[in-house]
Amino acid sequence: MKKKKIETKIDDNLPADKYTKVSVSLMNALASGEFGALESLLNNDVRTVCCGHRTMKGKTRTMNYWRGWRQRYVETSIVTSFEVVRSNYYSHACLKTDNTIVMFQIGGDLVSAIILSAVKTSEYVDDDKLNYPLDVERIKQYLEPLPTTDDEGTPIDTTNRMPCLHCGIESSDLLWYKSTRPGFFNRNWNIGQVSVCPQCGLIVEYKHVKTTELETDKNKWVGPKRPNNGNEYSAIASKIYSERMIELLDEERTSTFVSYLLSQLTDVEVESACTLELRMPKKTGCGDNSHLSIRYPNGEKTEDIIYNLIVKPTEMAAWQLYLLKNIAAVLPYYWHGGYNRCTYIFQESDIDGIVPLKFHDLSELSAQDLFVPSVEKTIKNGQCCTMLVRCCHWNDWNGLVKEEVSIMIENGHCVSYERTTVDLFKYNCGLWY
Ligand SMILES: [Zn+2]
């Protein structure tokens, strides 16, 4: 049998640090069979933890294990591709292949633990080792000591589980809890096992066990609130996407809504001979969204509204164009139009309304100011300027997404709108309707 070629890939934007280096070394060793470079990065006491199975202690056993792993999976072409990616779970590079992830604990310059785990051990999102970890302060009200056996009476084993990736404490020496948290839309309970490092105070592992019906109102969350730290863009956004006005919107009130919308726009206006119109979603077929359009004096209309407005060459104008472009995501919809629904993050406290994110440690994203919108003038050249709009949103089928839009304004009009996205927290509610 001819062996398949091994594909290797290194994600762009990884830092040139020791975690990236060892991830790449392990990938190259598994692809080529040359383990020398990897071996030189390992501490003599290094251990390899195969989560849920066993732990190999010492450099010799670790090297034998990985050589054996290559024989079992790579030489047999069971595994044919590897990728070095960032794991938000521990904020460093890791090696990934299919549903397997390899992470590292590095003390000083050398690797002291190699952890092999499933990316996800269940379909439940908080189980995902690429996503941001849970925050102990946010979930502590749902924790109780972990029983020694599960509901079926099988002993719960806390050995050979994920060690603390920061300080290296073994799984059996961590603090273990049973977690019973409200799930998607607060309609059920997610029951899982949680380990917390007594030294670092951080959540090490979350393992989803099962989902049960919600019986009580234990879902009244009393954890820390995230700050209302909006800026001028957040303030105008909450007016343009006014929840109160959207709630009142129906077929009879579309022109009231449009007048309201126009009264909130400060740096963007409709040309005097044209009119802005709103059509509510059609309640036929398998789904529709609300549609904003501009009608020309000749009666024709376009939904490309952003190119048909008079726009000031300002950051605020770019922001208002962005809000208008995306408004359908917050307006009324019909059936499958709901897949496009987004919750925009205009200030950090908006995260508190998103159940799947509510319990996570997102301080890294907060420190990058990703939870408040920003607009930056990047190029100014005579009558032409380019603005970079940055804003995050949540969608139940995509998770938390960072959107960056480059908007070019020339002679009072928007002439280009280019969008790129980065997934910050992958999520899919799994509900197809
Ligand atoms: Zn620790």
Side-chain angles (χ1 to χ4, degrees):
M1 188 178 83
K2 194 170 174 295
K3 269 202 285 182
K4 282 192 196 150
K5 194 179 173 310
I6 308 296
E7 282 176 40
T8 60
K9 200 174 146 197
I10 304 171
D11 237 34
D12 299 336
N13 305 320
L14 287 172
D17 66 7
K18 41 198 180 179
Y19 293 90
T20 305
K21 190 176 173 190
V22 67
S23 303
V24 171
S25 279
L26 177 59
M27 175 169 80
N28 291 343
L30 293 173
S32 67
E34 294 294 327
F35 282 81
L38 174 71
E39 193 167 359
S40 69
L41 298 174
L42 306 182
N43 193 310
N44 282 333
D45 300 329
V46 67
R47 65 191 199 282
T48 296
V49 182
C50 300
C51 286
H53 300 282
R54 60 195 182 117
T55 299
M56 273 66 60
K57 289 186 177 156
K59 204 182 210 177
T60 310
R61 293 179 68 191
T62 283
M63 291 312 298
N64 288 343
Y65 173 77
W66 285 105
R67 286 198 179 91
W69 198 97
R70 183 172 190 274
Q71 282 168 3
R72 291 193 297 282
Y73 299 109
V74 183
E75 289 181 12
T76 52
S77 293
I78 293 172
V79 170
T80 57
S81 70
F82 293 100
E83 200 178 353
V84 176
V85 296
R86 182 188 147 90
S87 161
N88 292 321
Y89 199 77
Y90 81 137
S91 310
H92 296 297
C94 66
L95 179 62
K96 183 180 171 293
T97 176
D98 299 324
N99 191 40
T100 301
I101 187 175
V102 184
M103 293 182 281
F104 304 90
Q105 199 253 317
I106 302 182
D109 280 333
L110 298 176
V111 175
S112 37
I114 304 177
I115 296 97
L116 184 77
S117 161
V119 177
K120 293 168 99 174
T121 51
S122 75
E123 279 310 300
Y124 187 55
V125 61
D126 294 344
D127 233 341
D128 193 322
K129 304 287 184 301
L130 293 172
N131 268 344
Y132 287 93
L134 293 164
D135 180 338
V136 68
E137 284 303 311
R138 297 188 170 274
I139 67 163
K140 63 182 179 190
Q141 67 172 306
Y142 300 113
L143 302 182
E144 55 189 301
L146 186 69
T148 51
T149 60
D150 64 16
D151 290 353
E152 281 76 46
T154 313
I156 296 173
D157 191 0
T158 58
T159 58
N160 298 315
R161 301 277 291 267
M162 180 85 68
C164 176
L165 293 164
H166 300 275
C167 70
I169 289 187
E170 286 190 40
S171 61
S172 52
D173 295 330
L174 299 170
L175 305 170
W176 283 88
Y177 301 97
K178 177 183 179 184
S179 150
T180 307
R181 276 187 307 133
F184 190 45
F185 296 140
N186 287 326
R187 278 200 299 251
N188 45 29
W189 289 113
N190 283 312
I191 297 175
Q193 298 169 0
V194 178
S195 62
V196 177
C197 176
Q199 194 164 305
C200 306
L202 298 170
I203 290 188
V204 175
E205 177 183 347
Y206 177 82
K207 185 186 177 193
H208 181 67
V209 176
K210 63 179 177 182
T211 300
T212 61
E213 290 303 304
L214 193 67
E215 291 149 4
T216 63
D217 64 349
K218 201 177 160 189
N219 62 347
K220 283 201 184 68
W221 185 60
V222 292
K225 290 255 184 294
R226 296 180 202 262
N228 297 315
N229 56 351
N231 54 19
E232 55 175 327
Y233 302 117
S234 326
I236 193 90
S238 63
K239 289 180 183 161
I240 291 176
Y241 286 4
S242 160
E243 283 175 31
R244 173 90 187 116
M245 290 305 291
I246 293 170
E247 231 171 64
L248 292 172
L249 183 55
D250 61 20
E251 294 287 354
E252 278 72 52
R253 294 196 188 90
T254 54
S255 55
T256 313
F257 184 83
V258 168
S259 308
Y260 169 80
L261 199 57
L262 292 170
S263 72
Q264 298 304 320
L265 298 171
T266 57
D267 288 37
V268 167
E269 61 179 316
V270 179
E271 298 197 39
S272 58
C274 299
T275 48
L276 188 65
E277 294 180 358
L278 175 68
R279 175 174 75 66
M280 295 290 280
K282 284 195 192 101
K283 300 232 163 102
T284 54
C286 61
D288 194 16
N289 290 95
S290 297
H291 293 261
L292 206 54
S293 59
I294 283 187
R295 193 174 292 278
Y296 301 118
N298 66 6
E300 283 177 21
K301 66 174 189 173
T302 175
E303 288 190 9
D304 261 344
I305 59 166
I306 58 161
Y307 299 111
N308 289 278
L309 295 164
I310 303 172
V311 182
K312 289 185 189 167
T314 61
E315 285 89 342
M316 183 52 86
W319 176 238
Q320 295 180 0
L321 285 175
Y322 173 82
L323 293 173
L324 288 172
K325 172 88 176 166
N326 293 294
I327 199 166
V330 298
L331 291 181
Y333 66 96
Y334 173 65
W335 199 11
H336 282 193
Y339 289 132
N340 304 324
R341 305 291 296 162
C342 291
T343 302
Y344 284 87
I345 313 299
F346 297 134
Q347 53 190 341
E348 198 162 336
S349 54
D350 291 338
I351 300 279
D352 286 333
I354 302 166
V355 177
L357 285 184
K358 199 154 93 172
F359 306 109
H360 286 264
D361 179 0
L362 304 175
S363 47
E364 213 175 291
L365 299 176
S366 173
Q368 296 170 45
D369 288 331
L370 286 179
F371 297 141
V372 278
S374 68
V375 188
E376 197 188 324
K377 191 178 278 189
T378 53
I379 304 168
K380 170 91 175 85
N381 188 356
Q383 289 306 302
C384 175
C385 60
T386 302
M387 314 282 181
L388 187 68
V389 174
R390 192 176 74 174
C391 185
C392 293
H393 66 259
W394 174 263
N395 170 278
D396 284 335
W397 290 269
N398 291 320
L400 185 65
V401 177
K402 175 174 84 170
E403 202 178 5
E404 279 187 343
V405 183
S406 174
I407 296 177
M408 196 190 284
I409 298 170
E410 193 172 10
N411 294 319
H413 286 92
C414 170
V415 291
S416 89
Y417 184 102
E418 281 168 25
R419 171 182 184 266
T420 54
T421 60
V422 177
D423 292 336
L424 298 177
F425 187 103
K426 287 187 183 151
Y427 181 80
N428 185 318
C429 64
L431 190 71
W432 297 102
Y433 59 86

